[in-house]
Amino acid sequence: SLAVPNREVQLAYRDVFSLWMERGLADPARVDALARSLLEGDAEALEVRLEELLLTTMSFHDPAGRDPEKLYHGFILGLLVQLEGRYEVRSNREAGLGRADVLVRPKQAGQPGVVLELKVPRARRGETPEQALLAGAKQVRNKRYAAELAAAGAAPVHELVVVFDGKRVWARTVDEVLGGAGAG
């Protein structure tokens, strides 16, 4: 699991990722738009903004290795540092019946909350991005990750699945992926 070990490392992450965002998005309005798309549950806008950022900040070789999902996980956590004052960003913490990749929990009830499930297609098994989206959506629903946010008063709660493959990004709401079919 991924965790920030102490305050010094957390501050370093904030500074490094802030620099990446400045380089990659330059305009602070674009950074705000990224956070807004997440908090509004706008998967299409989130996909566009994340892919823009990956194209301008990450090397094609960065995701290589045994577990590229961890790289993207850290990348997302770094992006969400800007939400610190109003939200708790929780990584790999128990939620519902399992461990959600990322929960964005409002500090004040009545504000939106977000469940993020992050996936990388398993190339060795021939998994496509669409299959990874489906697996992530089923996982979010079957494990009931949103229950903690709803219990904390988050409203609405957005459930999103984001699939990364190199510098490509696919983001969908769980409802879009499951199409009303449920987690079956």
Side-chain angles (χ1 to χ4, degrees):
S1 67
L2 185 64
V4 178
N6 59 44
R7 186 162 172 72
E8 289 79 18
V9 172
Q10 180 180 19
L11 293 172
Y13 275 3
R14 186 189 67 210
D15 294 344
V16 167
F17 282 105
S18 292
L19 178 63
W20 281 4
M21 289 176 69
E22 286 172 23
R23 285 185 190 160
L25 295 177
D27 180 4
R30 293 173 75 188
V31 176
D32 292 340
L34 177 84
R36 192 171 47 255
S37 65
L38 177 77
L39 295 173
E40 291 174 355
D42 185 344
E44 185 177 339
L46 180 64
E47 177 179 302
V48 168
R49 303 269 187 245
L50 283 172
E51 195 163 285
E52 270 178 1
L53 193 54
L54 286 175
L55 286 169
T56 58
T57 61
M58 190 176 282
S59 165
F60 179 78
H61 298 287
D62 286 341
R66 263 181 72 138
D67 194 357
E69 192 172 306
K70 287 184 179 181
L71 172 75
Y72 295 114
H73 197 127
F75 181 73
I76 291 293
L77 290 176
L79 292 175
L80 299 181
V81 166
Q82 70 166 335
L83 300 176
E84 276 180 359
R86 300 173 304 149
Y87 290 86
E88 292 176 15
V89 178
R90 301 175 70 199
S91 170
N92 284 320
R93 299 280 175 90
E94 186 174 329
L97 302 171
R99 291 182 180 272
D101 282 334
V102 179
L103 293 178
V104 179
R105 180 180 175 174
K107 291 184 177 181
Q108 179 180 342
Q111 297 297 310
V114 180
V115 175
L116 275 176
E117 184 60 31
L118 310 174
K119 295 288 185 193
V120 172
R122 294 174 289 192
R124 279 194 259 165
R125 295 185 186 173
E127 186 176 43
T128 66
E130 292 76 17
Q131 290 168 325
L133 284 165
L134 181 58
K138 286 181 176 182
Q139 182 178 338
V140 168
R141 284 291 164 82
N142 289 339
K143 303 241 182 218
R144 298 175 27 202
Y145 292 153
E148 177 184 336
L149 297 177
V157 175
H158 302 293
E159 299 170 305
L160 299 165
V161 181
V162 181
V163 173
F164 298 92
D165 188 9
K167 293 185 181 188
R168 296 292 320 270
V169 179
W170 293 262
R172 304 287 183 275
T173 67
V174 169
D175 286 339
E176 283 177 307
V177 175
L178 296 180

